[in-house]
Amino acid sequence: MNITLIVFVVLYLLGTLGIGVWAGTRIKNTSDFAIAGRSLPLAMVVTTTFATWFGAETVMGIPAKFVQGGLNAIVEDPFGAGTCLILVGLFFATKLYRQNLLTIGDFYRQRFGKGIEVFCSGAIILSYLGWVAAQITALGLVFSVLTQGAMSQTAGMIVGTLAVLIYVVIGGFLAVAWTDFIQMIVLVVGLSVIAFFSAGLAGGADKVLALAQSKDLFHFLPPANFTDLAMFVGASVTMMLGSIPQQDVFQRVMSAKDEKTARRGAMIGGMSYILFAAVPMFIVLSAVVVLGQQALDIARDDYQKLLPMYVLTKMPLIMQILFFGALLSAIKSTSSATLLAPSTSFVENIVKNLRPHMGDRQQLLAMRWTIILFAGLVLSYAIAMRGTSIYELVSSAYQVTLVGAFVPLVMGLYWERATTQGAVCSLVAGLGVWIAMLPQVSTLGEVFPGQLAGLLAAMLAMVLGSLAPQWMKDRKEHKRHVTGLPDEAAA
């Protein structure tokens, strides 16, 4: 066990706690707590947006999937996830920023009423279970590897959750934004240095790229048949569109000091994520070159341990400190955001409907207690789901919002004729079709992706549900007119 390395990790964790306590002294109301008082400059919006996606799956999940299946296997993340942020900047940031909302659920209430607000907020909150669980699982894995098994993965999950929970509860999104800013600097510098060092260990970057070429890892498009193409499109849109109606993405848009900053921050953050996600992939490929069969043996037992074990066994102490600082930065930045986002949505869009006369101080207290309760729920879920890959935990989280919340959001913003009845039909059809195609229910999902079928059903139901009442009314009025009955509306 490397005591020096563990000491540096502990000091790093204590430093982020200190930032959270400092940020907590600047929290005056729920706006400060939930969206940093709409005051962040471009640099902080970019780093906190980038940090939204750069989590455990980016450092450990994506590289392992890439080594196993090439670029085609990771179309969902980072390509879909990064494109999501670019789309948010292009088509959603300005429109949402101008509405001056606290949560994404507030939009559903203003556009479609309280019923849609509650149901869409519920779908959004539910989607965070898998995402946060992935980060907690990764924290447990990191602490277990660091202590060479002296700390069990379950104990590591508990310690990691507490380390994040404390500064989020105290400092809210202001603490998240400041820690993201510092942690992303540590992450970019740390992984970049390690990538250069890894290239040297492997005998040069050309040998690493040659390995990828020999294994045909750069192939992107699927085979030209219906099922494979449908699965490819389904994987692409899962995070690309399913992540748009997410509270953590919305928080980053709304925390900007103005709408121009919100738009540019999301776009730059998305492009940066797609580009920099290649760095951990390069490091894992280097590990395969350096370790050879040993790397394949580690990957066979638990591929998510490959990168941490490679750094611990083949790199000097300074590189180990840089790596685990970068890894913890990635995990903590994402887990802090994903703890805060559903908690603020729950209080603003569900609790306030039950207690409409809550004061600002009561709402702020409720948000903090909800974060604690949600953290306990997610920790239990992560322990129960232990053994599920980090990548799969993350990717499955967005299917709920894709089929349930995306269509009402985009239609509500861009189609004036969208109605509450259309939104209800969209929710019922989207979730109903998706559930009907789950592996536990039927085998239809093996032929066509359930999330894509749910999305198409939600879009069709929104259009028909919105237009059908008007069409029926027009048809009834026309019938009354041609039969000579009194027709005051036509007159």
Side-chain angles (χ1 to χ4, degrees), residues 141-202:
L141 179 65
V142 169
F143 287 123
S144 178
V145 171
L146 270 175
T147 59
Q148 297 179 8
M151 179 183 288
S152 69
Q153 191 167 343
T154 299
M157 289 181 184
I158 296 171
V159 171
T161 302
L162 290 173
V164 177
L165 180 64
I166 293 172
Y167 78 81
V168 175
V169 169
I170 295 174
F173 189 71
L174 198 59
V176 171
W178 273 104
T179 51
D180 281 354
F181 182 72
I182 295 170
Q183 288 173 165
M184 287 309 98
I185 293 173
V186 173
L187 185 148
V188 170
V189 173
L191 288 184
S192 297
V193 172
I194 290 168
F196 280 108
F197 191 83
S198 294
L201 287 177

Side-chain angles (χ1 to χ4, degrees), residues 75-77 79-81 84 87 230-245 395 398-399 401-403 406 449 451-453 455-456:
V75 61
E76 190 170 345
D77 189 11
F79 297 107
C84 163
L87 291 176
M231 294 298 179
F232 181 81
V233 174
S236 301
V237 300
T238 298
M239 290 186 72
M240 185 188 302
L241 304 182
S243 301
I244 290 176
S395 62
Y398 300 100
Q399 294 186 17
T401 47
L402 175 68
V403 301
F406 173 72
Q451 71 270 32
L452 184 56
L455 174 63
L456 295 174

Side-chain angles (χ1 to χ4, degrees), residues 197-237:
F197 191 83
S198 294
L201 287 177
D206 56 330
K207 290 188 177 182
V208 178
L209 298 176
L211 174 66
Q213 191 71 44
S214 68
K215 292 181 175 292
D216 196 25
L217 297 181
F218 293 131
H219 74 276
F220 183 71
L221 296 176
N225 62 73
F226 176 78
T227 298
D228 285 329
L229 286 171
M231 294 298 179
F232 181 81
V233 174
S236 301
V237 300

Side-chain angles (χ1 to χ4, degrees), residues 60-347:
M60 294 187 289
I62 291 175
K65 293 281 286 187
F66 172 66
V67 170
Q68 291 172 333
L71 292 178
N72 178 261
I74 56 171
V75 61
E76 190 170 345
D77 189 11
F79 297 107
T83 304
C84 163
L85 296 177
I86 296 171
L87 291 176
V88 167
L90 287 173
F91 301 109
F92 295 89
T94 299
K95 283 181 173 289
L96 290 172
Y97 191 89
R98 288 174 181 173
Q99 296 187 36
N100 193 23
L101 308 171
L102 192 65
T103 68
I104 190 70
D106 291 345
F107 168 80
Y108 294 110
R109 180 181 66 248
Q110 292 188 9
R111 186 64 173 83
F112 298 115
K114 289 186 178 181
I116 300 299
E117 171 197 11
V118 171
F119 277 104
C120 285
S121 297
I124 292 168
I125 292 167
L126 181 63
S127 72
Y128 279 97
L129 272 177
W131 198 10
V132 190
Q135 312 312 314
I136 291 175
T137 299
L139 283 170
L141 179 65
V142 169
F143 287 123
S144 178
V145 171
L146 270 175
T147 59
Q148 297 179 8
M151 179 183 288
S152 69
Q153 191 167 343
T154 299
M157 289 181 184
I158 296 171
V159 171
T161 302
L162 290 173
V164 177
L165 180 64
I166 293 172
Y167 78 81
V168 175
V169 169
I170 295 174
F173 189 71
L174 198 59
V176 171
W178 273 104
T179 51
D180 281 354
F181 182 72
I182 295 170
Q183 288 173 165
M184 287 309 98
I185 293 173
V186 173
L187 185 148
V188 170
V189 173
L191 288 184
S192 297
V193 172
I194 290 168
F196 280 108
F197 191 83
S198 294
L201 287 177
D206 56 330
K207 290 188 177 182
V208 178
L209 298 176
L211 174 66
Q213 191 71 44
S214 68
K215 292 181 175 292
D216 196 25
L217 297 181
F218 293 131
H219 74 276
F220 183 71
L221 296 176
N225 62 73
F226 176 78
T227 298
D228 285 329
L229 286 171
M231 294 298 179
F232 181 81
V233 174
S236 301
V237 300
T238 298
M239 290 186 72
M240 185 188 302
L241 304 182
S243 301
I244 290 176
Q246 288 282 3
Q247 174 61 17
D248 58 296
V249 175
F250 176 83
Q251 280 178 317
R252 278 135 183 82
V253 170
M254 297 303 292
S255 66
K257 64 180 182 180
D258 53 51
E259 62 185 60
K260 181 180 178 181
T261 301
R263 183 176 66 253
R264 292 171 61 196
M267 293 174 64
I268 296 171
M271 289 184 285
S272 301
Y273 176 69
I274 293 174
L275 292 173
F276 202 75
V279 175
M281 287 190 271
F282 178 86
I283 297 172
V284 167
L285 273 176
S286 302
V288 175
V289 174
V290 174
L291 297 176
Q293 186 59 42
Q294 185 184 355
L296 300 177
D297 292 339
I298 295 173
R300 186 168 53 249
D301 295 335
D302 186 352
Y303 67 79
Q304 292 161 169
K305 288 184 177 180
L306 174 57
L307 190 51
M309 292 301 296
Y310 166 60
V311 173
L312 282 175
T313 57
K314 295 295 180 180
M315 294 192 179
L317 177 61
I318 184 63
M319 293 297 166
Q320 294 176 19
I321 293 172
L322 282 173
F323 172 76
F324 282 99
L327 179 57
L328 285 172
S329 294
I331 299 171
K332 290 171 79 273
S333 62
T334 301
S335 54
S336 61
T338 49
L339 277 178
L340 179 65
S343 303
T344 53
S345 286
F346 179 75
V347 173

Side-chain angles (χ1 to χ4, degrees), residues 41-52 85 184 261 264-270 272:
L42 179 62
M44 292 188 72
V45 175
V46 169
T47 53
T48 195
T49 304
F50 176 80
T52 306
L85 296 177
M184 287 309 98
T261 301
R264 292 171 61 196
M267 293 174 64
I268 296 171
S272 301

